[in-house]
Amino acid sequence: VSPYVLITPNETRRNQLQQMAQKELDDLERWKEEHRSGPIKLTPQRLGGKESEAQARQKQQMMLMQSKYQQKYKREEYIRTKKAAEEAEILKKKAIQREKAERLEAKKKQEEMQRREMYFEDQYYKTTELLNRLDLGLPKSHSCQIANRGPESTAWTRSHTYKQALQEDENRRLEEMKQEQRRKAELMEFKQKQEEEARTRAHQNEQRRVNNAFLDRLQNKMQANSIYQREYSRSPDYFNNSCWVS
């Protein structure tokens, strides 16, 4: 343990310091009391500019009401925009599903057309094969008997005519199916265009209705305030309370 030295306090020095500090505090309080500012005397004058207190309060009330209407209009506009976005998203999903269904339907029709083509082609080959077998099975005629006939036999002529009829019938059916698909596509495009125009008109009408309702409410409030201001200006105490005095 290191040694240490104990020094006794000097009571006289401590008392002198305390007296000096107390004297400085008393001098400071006395200086503050001597230099304290006196009362301010001002000449009364009219305040508030050119407007009276009633007009200022009425203007403040009108600004508050306009602010409330603007907040309400913004809130309604936000809700309407959100609802329109949700409806657009739903319509988009419906359009995607409709397009998938149309592609599936077109694929089914195309497969059906291919099956029909294969069926008619197979039928055509079988009929041709049958007619060819019939042509081969016909007996040969004498040259004098066919002198007035053409270079082709009657069976071959019937076969050729039948083949042409089948081909023309198949081409006609294919053309009818193509025209039917084209008409359906044009009708679907026309319906989609009509639905889009109807949605646009409905949205514009809704916006016009909301704007007109907001303007009507604002005009009614302004008319009510104007009537209140005229009634208030007719009161006998209007000019007594028309200014602020400090």
Side-chain angles (χ1 to χ4, degrees):
V1 179
S2 60
Y4 62 91
V5 178
L6 180 61
I7 301 175
T8 58
N10 190 350
E11 295 292 337
T12 305
R13 180 62 176 171
R14 180 185 294 175
N15 293 333
Q16 290 178 355
L17 293 175
Q18 289 180 353
Q19 290 176 2
M20 291 175 62
Q22 186 65 34
K23 184 176 180 301
E24 291 178 355
L25 290 174
D26 294 339
D27 293 340
L28 179 60
E29 291 295 332
R30 187 169 52 256
W31 185 87
K32 287 182 179 180
E33 187 68 24
E34 292 176 354
H35 294 80
R36 181 179 296 176
S37 59
I40 300 175
K41 296 181 180 180
L42 296 176
T43 304
Q45 57 183 355
R46 181 177 298 177
L47 301 177
K50 297 181 180 180
E51 295 180 353
S52 63
E53 181 181 0
Q55 292 176 349
R57 291 187 181 277
Q58 184 179 0
K59 184 177 180 181
Q60 184 180 8
Q61 185 179 5
M62 186 177 295
M63 292 177 63
L64 180 61
M65 287 191 298
Q66 290 179 357
S67 177
K68 289 182 180 179
Y69 281 119
Q70 288 178 358
Q71 291 178 0
K72 184 179 180 181
Y73 176 75
K74 288 181 180 179
R75 185 164 57 252
E76 292 177 353
E77 184 68 20
Y78 171 75
I79 294 173
R80 186 166 56 253
T81 305
K82 185 178 179 181
K83 185 177 180 181
E86 292 176 354
E87 292 179 354
E89 186 68 21
I90 293 173
L91 292 175
K92 183 179 179 181
K93 291 181 180 179
K94 287 183 179 180
I96 293 174
Q97 294 297 327
R98 191 183 301 111
E99 186 178 357
K100 289 182 180 180
E102 291 173 357
R103 286 202 299 267
L104 182 61
E105 185 69 19
K107 184 178 180 181
K108 288 182 180 179
K109 290 182 179 180
Q110 186 177 4
E111 292 176 354
E112 181 67 22
M113 289 177 63
Q114 289 178 357
R115 285 195 294 268
R116 291 182 64 182
E117 289 177 0
M118 293 175 63
Y119 170 75
F120 286 121
E121 186 177 358
D122 184 67
Q123 187 179 10
Y124 172 75
Y125 286 148
K126 288 182 179 180
T127 305
T128 304
E129 184 179 359
L130 176 62
L131 293 175
N132 290 332
R133 286 201 303 269
L134 291 174
D135 290 341
L136 293 175
L138 289 174
K140 300 293 182 179
S141 298
H142 195 266
S143 59
C144 62
Q145 296 178 357
I146 60 173
N148 296 327
R149 302 173 64 183
E152 297 179 349
S153 64
T154 306
W156 187 91
T157 304
R158 290 198 303 268
S159 174
H160 184 68
T161 304
Y162 182 72
K163 290 178 183 179
Q164 288 182 347
L166 287 178
Q167 186 66 29
E168 291 176 357
D169 184 63
E170 181 64 19
N171 294 333
R172 181 179 56 80
R173 291 181 180 178
L174 290 176
E175 186 64 25
E176 289 178 355
M177 293 179 68
K178 289 180 180 179
Q179 291 179 359
E180 183 67 21
Q181 293 294 329
R182 192 179 301 110
R183 285 195 298 270
K184 288 183 179 180
E186 293 176 354
L187 180 61
M188 185 175 299
E189 184 178 359
F190 179 72
K191 288 183 177 179
Q192 290 178 355
K193 186 176 180 181
Q194 282 186 337
E195 291 176 357
E196 184 67 24
E197 292 178 353
R199 286 195 297 269
T200 303
R201 287 195 299 269
H203 183 66
Q204 291 177 354
N205 293 333
E206 180 64 18
Q207 285 185 342
R208 192 179 297 107
R209 184 187 66 79
V210 173
N211 293 335
N212 292 334
F214 172 73
L215 293 175
D216 291 339
R217 290 195 299 270
L218 184 60
Q219 184 177 4
N220 293 333
K221 290 293 182 180
M222 293 179 67
Q223 289 178 356
N225 292 331
S226 178
I227 294 172
Y228 172 76
Q229 183 179 2
R230 288 198 299 269
E231 292 295 332
Y232 187 79
S233 62
R234 294 193 187 98
S235 61
D237 297 335
Y238 175 77
F239 293 97
N240 295 332
N241 298 327
S242 62
C243 63
W244 304 349
V245 179
S246 62

